[in-house]
Amino acid sequence: MSSDPHLVEFFLRQGDNALVLGHRLSEWCGMGPALEEDIALTNTALDLIGQSKLWLAHAAEIEGADRSADDLAFLRDAYDFRNVLLLEVPNADYGRTMLREFFFDAFQLPWLKALTDSTDDRVAEVAAKSAKEAAYHLERSAETVIALGDGTDESHAKMMAALDYLWPYVGEMMVDDDVDHAMAEAGVAPLPSAMRPAWDDTVNATFREAQLPRPDTKFAHAGGRNGFRHTEHLGHMLAQMQVLQRSHPGATW
Amino acid sequence: MVEAVSISEAQVWNWLEDVPDPEIPVISVVDLGVIRNVDVRGDDVTVTITPTYSGCPAMSMISLDIELALARKGVNKVALKTQLAPAWTTDWMSSKGRARLEDYGIAPPQPAGGPKRCPHCKSANVQRVSQFGSTACKAQWRCNDCLEPFDYFKCL
Ligand SMILES: [Zn+2]
């Protein structure tokens, strides 16, 4: 069977989103603002990295280039990654970390639920597994955004700064391109833009409770999910994430 | 020479009843509901496992424990298969497993999404501390009567 480049691309996008956010969250390991938060973030990271392994294993299999999920995670360079830019920007403070996760979770839960109807069984299976975990992630990230947004003057100010920084990155999740149209025609996935109403509802309801205003600007950075242009941050993140496999190829423990 | 012994699927299920969950050793991997199928063809045994949480590090431990347990019974040709669909659910946990969890101090999963009562004093006056706990499958709760913290096995 010849490999379908659009389908490989689709699986890489799913796997890279989960991997990059999973790695970013894992950077909080041992540094969370409270023990419960530290544990929650690392458990979320674990779920995401586990999901990433499932997506990337399929990407590797369809690609047929004799690479494993680990090879894809640890031996690709920044320009080969297909995650949205939102997920690779640095954590900064806890507020920005949680707001970023919330923006992603608000997209990912309806997205994964929709993917359970995929014509591709592999997509439907991984999505069904991941959706159950994503429901817990969204519940928690939304609660935290509300607690911080509607918290003290200081926490509110930090959430406003996080919002200014992150908002221009959210649009990329819901802009369709050639790969998305090919997947939609094949019944593999809906168009990402179809998630917009669900995403808007979740964000609007959460922002109301969090006392956060919804910015007007529709400007959206792009270039992550098609690999055209990542931010300068991804290379730094990969340098840390991949150093072990790059320095000691094939190392296991 | 090793004698050829024919083994039955029921026997393998019985042996697996003695393989403890590495993180919650009071329940077996069978009670946990991760064993989806056992298939015996001659002396080839295939055990099909479904993962709990996608990133659960206990899954590789569970696979190893199963291989070792069966090897101790003289079964050396064990194939372990991972099956993703249908996705694991806490509904597959046995009632024996649920009772043992509570005895051990972990509130068993409830469809309502929270523990029915404190596993220590059985009070229903309980409060959530965090939706995430010491392992991927648990949340942290506390009892407002006996004041003890406890783990709740989350519904999935
Ligand atoms: Zn109690």
Side-chain angles (χ1 to χ4, degrees):
Chain A
M1 203 182 103
S2 68
S3 85
D4 171 351
H6 282 136
L7 192 60
V8 174
E9 204 63 18
F10 174 82
F11 274 100
L12 285 176
R13 289 174 177 190
Q14 311 315 310
D16 287 347
N17 275 349
L19 178 63
V20 170
L21 181 59
H23 185 82
R24 281 297 187 205
L25 294 180
S26 79
E27 291 175 357
W28 278 99
C29 184
M31 296 199 252
L35 186 57
E36 288 78 9
E37 296 303 317
D38 199 288
I39 289 170
L41 279 173
T42 43
N43 271 305
T44 307
L46 200 61
D47 287 344
L48 289 167
I49 292 166
Q51 294 168 13
S52 164
K53 200 172 161 180
L54 299 171
W55 292 118
L56 292 182
H58 288 311
E61 183 194 308
I62 302 163
E63 178 195 51
D66 203 24
R67 296 200 283 184
S68 68
D70 279 344
D71 292 339
L72 291 177
F74 296 116
L75 301 177
R76 276 180 305 153
D77 288 313
Y79 44 79
D80 290 326
F81 272 73
R82 295 293 183 263
N83 58 284
V84 291
L85 302 176
L86 172 72
L87 306 179
E88 70 194 39
V89 298
N91 288 331
D93 59 20
Y94 197 66
R96 198 208 279 179
T97 302
M98 291 312 301
L99 185 60
R100 178 242 304 273
E101 195 204 318
F102 168 68
F103 284 148
F104 177 71
D105 292 342
F107 171 83
Q108 193 69 353
L109 184 59
W111 176 246
L112 290 170
K113 283 183 174 167
L115 291 184
T116 60
D117 293 327
S118 176
T119 51
D120 187 310
D121 289 345
R122 296 166 293 198
V123 174
E125 285 183 7
V126 179
K129 180 91 207 130
S130 307
K132 290 177 160 208
E133 295 161 359
Y136 279 110
H137 301 168
L138 176 60
E139 185 186 325
R140 175 176 170 280
S141 60
E143 277 177 10
T144 314
V145 165
I146 293 167
L148 294 174
D150 189 23
T152 62
D153 288 346
E154 189 185 347
S155 74
H156 181 77
K158 285 186 174 179
M159 291 307 274
M160 288 298 293
L163 181 57
D164 282 345
Y165 182 90
L166 294 174
W167 192 259
Y169 289 103
V170 299
E172 191 190 5
M173 291 189 289
M174 291 166 279
V175 175
D176 310 328
D177 67 7
D178 290 351
V179 174
D180 300 314
H181 286 290
M183 292 299 103
E185 272 159 41
V188 172
L191 290 171
S193 60
M195 301 302 115
R196 182 54 97 164
W199 191 85
D200 279 342
D201 284 351
T202 306
V203 170
N204 293 344
T206 306
F207 271 25
R208 253 194 310 277
E209 279 193 74
Q211 310 290 331
L212 292 171
R214 197 182 146 124
D216 297 329
T217 168
K218 292 229 170 359
F219 173 78
H221 289 295
R225 60 198 299 271
N226 58 15
F228 177 68
R229 186 167 54 218
H230 280 279
T231 67
E232 69 272 31
H233 308 295
L234 182 63
H236 291 275
M237 194 202 94
L238 295 182
Q240 193 185 43
M241 189 181 94
Q242 298 180 332
V243 64
L244 195 129
Q245 283 301 324
R246 298 277 192 181
S247 311
H248 307 275
T252 58
W253 69 83
Chain B
M1 287 296 286
V2 179
E3 273 181 61
V5 200
S6 70
I7 38 175
S8 71
E9 281 160 14
Q11 213 158 22
V12 175
W13 277 103
N14 266 330
W15 290 333
L16 294 176
E17 288 271 5
D18 292 330
V19 179
D21 174 311
E23 278 172 350
I24 310 165
V26 289
I27 62 171
S28 76
V29 293
V30 175
D31 289 326
L32 186 62
V34 296
I35 311 291
R36 300 318 301 156
N37 192 46
V38 172
D39 185 54
V40 178
R41 305 264 160 98
D43 51 1
D44 286 308
V45 175
T46 305
V47 179
T48 305
I49 308 172
T50 192
T52 52
Y53 280 76
S54 301
C56 183
M59 294 317 296
S60 53
M61 197 66 200
I62 287 176
S63 302
L64 184 67
D65 289 348
I66 289 172
E67 275 185 279
L68 287 174
L70 295 182
R72 274 196 293 272
K73 301 291 179 186
V75 185
N76 293 313
K77 290 162 82 178
V78 180
L80 291 167
K81 259 183 23 193
T82 303
Q83 178 185 307
L84 218 52
W88 179 78
T89 155
T90 36
D91 297 347
W92 294 345
M93 194 181 286
S94 71
S95 47
K96 180 169 68 106
R98 286 163 198 270
R100 285 194 177 165
L101 274 183
E102 191 171 21
D103 286 344
Y104 189 59
I106 299 172
Q110 300 294 339
K116 203 162 68 183
R117 58 189 187 184
C118 163
H120 308 297
C121 74
K122 317 296 180 207
S123 161
N125 183 12
V126 291
Q127 180 192 355
R128 194 178 84 187
V129 176
S130 173
Q131 193 60 281
F132 292 81
S134 55
T135 62
C137 56
K138 293 189 229 110
Q140 299 173 70
W141 283 66
R142 118 178 100 220
C143 175
N144 292 325
D145 282 331
C146 73
L147 305 180
E148 287 292 324
F150 63 90
D151 276 336
Y152 164 61
F153 203 111
K154 277 189 280 190
C155 244
L156 195 70

